[in-house]
């Protein structure tokens, strides 16, 4: 069985050990400071001599170090089999901060809300605890938990870990049942929490520095609480503070006025949208009057058109879209054909966009939207497509040809020949 040095002293980041077994890139030592992946905590990384440790596993009570290449023993080495171990301290210390913070958060959840931690996970970007809470977890409860957990951090409470005898174990009130039957190790935050755990922890709550609850959401009949501790929590605060400062600058208000000013702007924006929609409706009705006034009756068909010239980005014709006109268009006579013709001279070469719609949407009628479009684009070398009810095409304008009048005349001729 590998001696787990990290359980005796989690601050030991460098030591010597002897090789017990080598199998290609798998190394087993007599003792190790490398914590293996378990209990929702990631494995330590680091070095065994100049080999990089990329993973650490717990297999049948042995700690297996997975290194980046097959291990070779140096020849003529007096201390054959002796290796130097060094873990990545920043990663380990971060794990210790997050992990001890998780114990503290679970203890506070139990004390204040009688909420039991069902599972926990320490992730790269955030940590989570899944808790069964016998109540609705609102913002007020979250604030209370966070404030209390942080007060326990400032109170500098010692954290210790030990292997109690079975008698001692029976006298301890554990937060949860042990997952193993023998060699049970407990971690105690004095006067606050006692729980079985084989992981790496800080020796005092003050080293957690900050505990920040990011959010809580309903999850499988429980609550999943996202949180960060230590350096990660500080970085999270800094990033969000920067965002808040930028927003306050945009709004030209002090930080604390950002929520109210944002709400006022949102309310104003909703009012303006309502006003714009009402104006669009009135403008569409005005435009429809003109369209109906210019309606042509050709044989059994009714031909309606709307011609728009777009000259600049601020052109008011862009304000009203075709869908606004269609939305306010009342019932048209049978066999109506509506053409939206848009001439865009903002970019050269100038282009003409044709949208043709037939009313009512009778798929059997011979004069379909696509039939009319095909006739025009083949004549003026355009491109486009669509269905019998709706077709859309684009024609490049060369030396003012074709003109809008030419397009209207072409359609009139098609309808006249029927
Ligand atoms: Zn633990």
């Amino acid at each position: 069985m590998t001696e787990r040095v990290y359980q005796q002293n989690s601050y030991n980041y460098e030591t010597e050990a002897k090789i017990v077994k080598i199998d290609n890139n798998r190394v087993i030592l007599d003792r190790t400071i490398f914590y293996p992946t378990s209990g929702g905590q990631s494995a330590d990384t680091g070095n065994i001599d100049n080999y990089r440790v990329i993973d650490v596993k717990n297999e049948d009570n042995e700690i297996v170090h997975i290194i980046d290449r097959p291990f070779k023993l140096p020849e003529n080495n007096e201390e054959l089999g002796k290796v130097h171990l060094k873990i990545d301290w920043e990663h380990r210390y971060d794990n210790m901060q997050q992990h001890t913070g998780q114990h503290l958060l679970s203890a506070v959840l139990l004390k204040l809300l009688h909420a039991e931690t069902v599972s926990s996970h320490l992730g790269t970007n955030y940590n989570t605890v899944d808790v069964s809470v016998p109540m609705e977890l609102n913002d007020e409860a979250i604030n209370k938990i966070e404030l209390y957990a942080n007060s326990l951090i400032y109170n500098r409470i010692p954290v210790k870990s030990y292997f109690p005898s079975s008698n001692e174990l029976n006298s301890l009130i554990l937060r949860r049942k042990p997952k193993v039957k023998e060699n049970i190790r407990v971690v105690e935050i004095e006067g606050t929490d006692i729980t079985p755990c084989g992981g790496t922890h800080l020796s005092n709550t003050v080293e957690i520095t900050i505990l920040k609850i990011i959010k809580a959401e309903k999850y499988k009949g429980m609550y999943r609480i996202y949180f960060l501790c230590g350096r990660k929590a500080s970085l999270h605060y800094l990033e969000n503070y920067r965002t808040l400062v930028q927003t306050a600058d945009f709004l030209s208000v002090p930080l604390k006025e950002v929520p109210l000013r944002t709400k006022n702007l949102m309310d104003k924006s909703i009012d303006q949208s309502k006003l714009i929609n009402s104006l669009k409706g009135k403008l569409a009705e005005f435009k429809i009057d003109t369209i109906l006034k210019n309606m042509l009756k050709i044989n059994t068909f009714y031909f309606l058109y709307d011609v728009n010239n777009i000259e600049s980005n601020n052109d008011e014709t862009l304000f009203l879209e075709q869908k606004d006109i269609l939305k306010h268009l009342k019932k048209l006579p049978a066999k109506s054909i509506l053409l939206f013709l848009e001439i865009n001279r903002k970019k050269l070469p100038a282009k003409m966009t044709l949208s043709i719609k037939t009313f009512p949407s009778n798929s059997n009628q011979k004069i379909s939207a696509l039939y009319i479009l095909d006739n025009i684009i083949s004549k003026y070398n355009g491109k486009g497509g669509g269905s019998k009810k709706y077709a859309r095409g684009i024609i490049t304008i060369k030396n003012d040809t074709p003109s809008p009048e030419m397009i209207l005349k072409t359609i009139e001729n098609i309808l006249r020949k029927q």
Side-chain angles (χ1 to χ4, degrees):
M1 189 195 279
T2 315
E3 184 192 340
R4 299 167 190 235
V5 179
Y6 57 83
Q7 286 193 334
Q8 297 144 25
N9 179 4
S10 56
Y11 292 81
N12 186 345
Y13 60 88
E14 198 168 9
T15 193
E16 308 284 321
K18 276 185 183 162
I19 292 171
V20 172
K21 195 180 170 190
I22 298 168
D23 179 7
N24 203 15
N25 67 334
R26 291 161 55 90
V27 180
I28 297 174
L29 307 166
D30 64 336
R31 62 201 297 271
T32 190
I33 48 173
F34 283 87
Y35 180 79
T37 307
S38 62
Q41 183 181 320
S42 63
D44 280 317
T45 52
N47 279 75
I48 296 178
D49 284 347
N50 58 357
Y51 294 89
R52 189 81 192 131
V53 177
I54 51 174
D55 198 8
V56 189
K57 294 175 180 178
N58 189 2
E59 291 179 4
D60 301 326
N61 279 326
E62 298 290 6
I63 307 284
V64 182
H65 306 78
I66 314 291
I67 51 176
D68 59 345
R69 58 192 192 276
F71 194 92
K72 277 186 187 163
L73 280 170
E75 286 173 17
N76 303 322
N77 187 341
E78 281 181 10
E79 289 185 290
L80 200 65
K82 202 170 180 186
V83 283
H84 185 81
L85 318 183
K86 191 173 183 182
I87 56 166
D88 295 333
W89 176 243
E90 200 174 306
H91 176 248
R92 157 67 72 82
Y93 194 67
D94 174 56
N95 268 344
M96 284 159 66
Q97 283 188 315
Q98 310 307 322
H99 193 142
T100 313
Q102 181 264 308
H103 280 242
L104 189 70
L105 178 61
S106 291
V108 172
L109 281 160
L110 191 64
K111 184 183 167 76
L112 297 189
L113 303 179
H114 307 290
E116 270 184 47
T117 298
V118 178
S119 62
S120 64
H121 177 74
L122 306 181
T124 312
N125 299 320
Y126 49 78
N127 315 305
T128 57
V129 282
D130 293 341
V131 286
S132 58
V133 190
M135 58 180 281
E136 196 78 15
L137 205 51
N138 54 23
D139 287 350
E140 195 187 337
I142 294 285
N143 284 343
K144 215 167 132 186
I145 294 161
E146 196 178 272
L147 281 174
Y148 190 62
N150 280 289
S151 73
L152 296 177
I153 292 172
Y154 312 141
N155 283 350
R156 307 179 66 87
I157 304 170
V159 181
K160 58 183 181 184
S161 56
Y162 51 96
F163 292 87
S165 67
S166 55
N167 274 347
E168 273 178 301
L169 194 64
N170 288 335
S171 67
L172 296 175
I173 301 167
L174 301 178
R175 177 162 47 79
R176 63 169 172 81
K177 283 182 185 162
K179 286 175 185 163
V180 290
K181 289 195 173 136
E182 50 189 19
N183 286 325
I184 295 164
R185 180 178 183 251
V186 297
V187 175
E188 182 175 347
I189 303 174
E190 271 180 21
T192 308
D193 186 52
I194 308 173
T195 194
C197 186
T200 54
H201 309 86
L202 301 165
S203 61
N204 193 296
T205 57
V206 78
E207 288 186 69
I208 301 170
T209 66
I210 318 169
L211 189 148
K212 175 71 196 148
I213 295 177
I214 312 294
K215 62 176 178 177
E217 60 188 23
K218 284 183 180 165
Y219 177 75
K220 292 184 178 174
M222 298 179 286
Y223 273 96
R224 174 162 282 185
I225 299 174
Y226 295 75
F227 71 100
L228 287 174
C229 298
R231 189 167 170 265
K232 277 183 179 160
S234 306
L235 292 173
H236 180 81
Y237 270 114
L238 275 176
E239 201 179 300
N240 284 291
Y241 184 74
R242 260 186 236 120
T243 308
L244 185 61
V245 168
Q246 275 176 4
T247 313
D249 277 353
F250 284 140
L251 299 171
S252 301
V253 292
L255 296 192
K256 63 181 179 182
E257 284 178 28
V258 167
L260 185 63
R261 174 56 70 92
T262 310
K263 191 186 177 302
N264 288 345
L265 283 174
M266 291 296 293
D267 290 346
K268 204 172 166 186
S269 161
I270 291 167
D271 287 347
Q272 283 175 343
S273 291
K274 282 180 188 164
L275 179 65
I276 287 169
N277 282 335
S278 144
L279 290 173
K280 273 186 171 178
K282 282 181 183 150
L283 190 60
E285 279 164 19
F286 175 75
K287 201 130 205 212
I288 288 164
D289 277 350
T290 315
I291 292 170
L292 291 172
K293 219 176 274 172
N294 295 334
M295 182 168 71
L296 298 171
K297 184 162 193 305
I298 305 164
N299 287 335
T300 54
F301 300 101
Y302 292 90
F303 178 40
L304 305 102
Y305 55 87
D306 177 47
V307 180
N308 275 307
N309 272 294
I310 299 169
E311 303 285 350
S312 72
N313 282 327
N314 298 323
D315 202 295
E316 64 180 24
T317 50
L318 289 176
F319 179 71
L320 198 63
E321 291 172 23
Q322 290 169 15
K323 65 176 180 6
D324 295 313
I325 296 176
L326 291 171
K327 200 168 100 184
H328 292 87
L329 200 60
K330 304 268 167 5
K331 205 181 165 194
L332 290 173
K335 289 187 162 183
S336 290
I337 292 135
L338 173 64
L339 165 75
F340 287 110
L341 190 59
E342 203 172 82
I343 302 110
N344 194 334
R345 295 181 194 277
K346 276 193 298 181
K347 277 186 193 166
L348 290 175
K351 284 192 166 59
M352 194 178 261
T353 308
L354 296 93
S355 306
I356 303 167
K357 207 167 159 55
T358 55
F359 298 87
S361 304
N362 180 356
S363 55
N364 290 324
Q365 68 187 43
K366 192 191 164 197
I367 301 295
S368 71
L370 189 58
Y371 176 80
I372 297 169
L373 182 78
D374 281 345
N375 268 276
I376 298 168
I377 59 175
S378 61
K379 191 170 177 176
Y380 297 110
N381 213 10
K383 55 184 180 181
S387 66
K388 289 183 173 181
K389 301 171 192 174
Y390 179 78
R392 198 163 184 271
I394 294 175
I395 297 166
T396 303
I397 303 171
K398 290 172 188 160
N399 301 324
D400 277 345
T401 303
S403 66
E405 293 75 22
M406 288 161 89
I407 299 290
L408 297 178
K409 273 278 171 267
T410 309
I411 297 178
E412 282 176 48
N413 287 337
I414 293 167
L415 300 177
R416 225 161 246 132
K417 281 182 198 160
Q418 303 307 312

